[in-house]
């Protein structure tokens, strides 16, 4: 049975040479040099993965596929901005921790009349650390 002739399908980025319902491309026969046969027939060789040309072709297909979609995709939860209370909580922790440390050394807090109390210092440092950790969640 004679093989059907291959027809190039119209399209700038199409590599298809037969219609969608057509037969698969012929398999390679052992011992033949495809490069010489392709050059003689005037066909382009497939691009090797990892080369700049194949990467550019893949990127252009991805962009073309993305632009064809008309369906709305809402932003994911990660892309949403933080609520108003995240920076407020951050500055409250940092300010409260700094204020606790300053008031501890000033002797204003209860139990610090004879000198600084270590527990107020630890509490102030923990509050500042909590503010820093809150800041990492701010978008």
């Amino acid at each position: 049975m004679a093989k059907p002739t291959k027809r190039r399908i119209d399209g700038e980025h199409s590599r298809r040479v037969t219609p969608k319902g057509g037969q698969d491309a012929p398999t390679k026969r052992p011992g033949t040099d495809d490069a010489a046969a392709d050059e003689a027939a005037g066909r382009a060789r497939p691009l090797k993965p990892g080369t700049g040309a194949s990467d550019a072709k893949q990127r252009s297909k991805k962009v073309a596929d993305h632009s064809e979609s008309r369906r709305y995709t809402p932003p994911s939860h990660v892309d949403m901005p933080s609520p108003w209370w995240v920076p407020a909580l951050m500055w409250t922790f940092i300010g409260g921790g700094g204020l606790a440390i300053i008031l501890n050394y000033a002797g204003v807090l209860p139990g610090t009349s004879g000198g600084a109390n270590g527990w107020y210092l630890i509490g102030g440092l923990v509050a500042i650390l909590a503010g820093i950790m809150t800041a990492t969640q701010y978008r």
Side-chain angles (χ1 to χ4, degrees):
M1 177 176 197
K3 294 182 183 179
T5 58
K6 292 185 178 182
R7 294 176 286 143
R8 171 92 38 207
I9 301 300
D10 293 332
E12 182 178 324
H13 297 288
S14 176
R15 294 178 70 190
R16 182 182 297 276
V17 292
T18 57
K20 275 190 174 181
Q23 297 177 351
D24 293 337
T27 59
K28 178 182 173 186
R29 293 183 308 205
T32 60
D33 184 15
D34 284 343
D38 285 344
E39 287 179 20
R43 290 178 287 194
R45 295 188 64 191
L47 301 172
K48 293 182 181 178
T51 62
S54 69
D55 293 341
K57 190 166 195 110
Q58 288 175 353
R59 277 194 302 272
S60 68
K61 281 186 178 183
K62 287 179 185 176
V63 170
D65 292 342
H66 179 68
S67 65
E68 291 174 4
S69 174
R70 293 176 187 227
R71 191 169 175 178
Y72 172 73
T73 305
S76 67
H77 180 66
V78 176
D79 297 328
M80 303 291 286
S82 297
W84 65 269
W85 54 266
V86 173
L89 185 67
M90 174 189 71
W91 288 115
T92 302
F93 277 137
I94 292 173
L99 189 64
I101 292 171
I102 292 170
L103 293 177
N104 180 39
Y105 279 114
V108 177
L109 297 174
T112 59
S113 58
N117 188 345
W119 289 109
Y120 287 118
L121 293 176
I122 291 173
L125 290 174
V126 167
I128 291 173
L129 180 62
I132 292 171
M133 289 173 58
T134 306
T136 62
Q137 301 303 312
Y138 180 64
R139 285 178 248 113

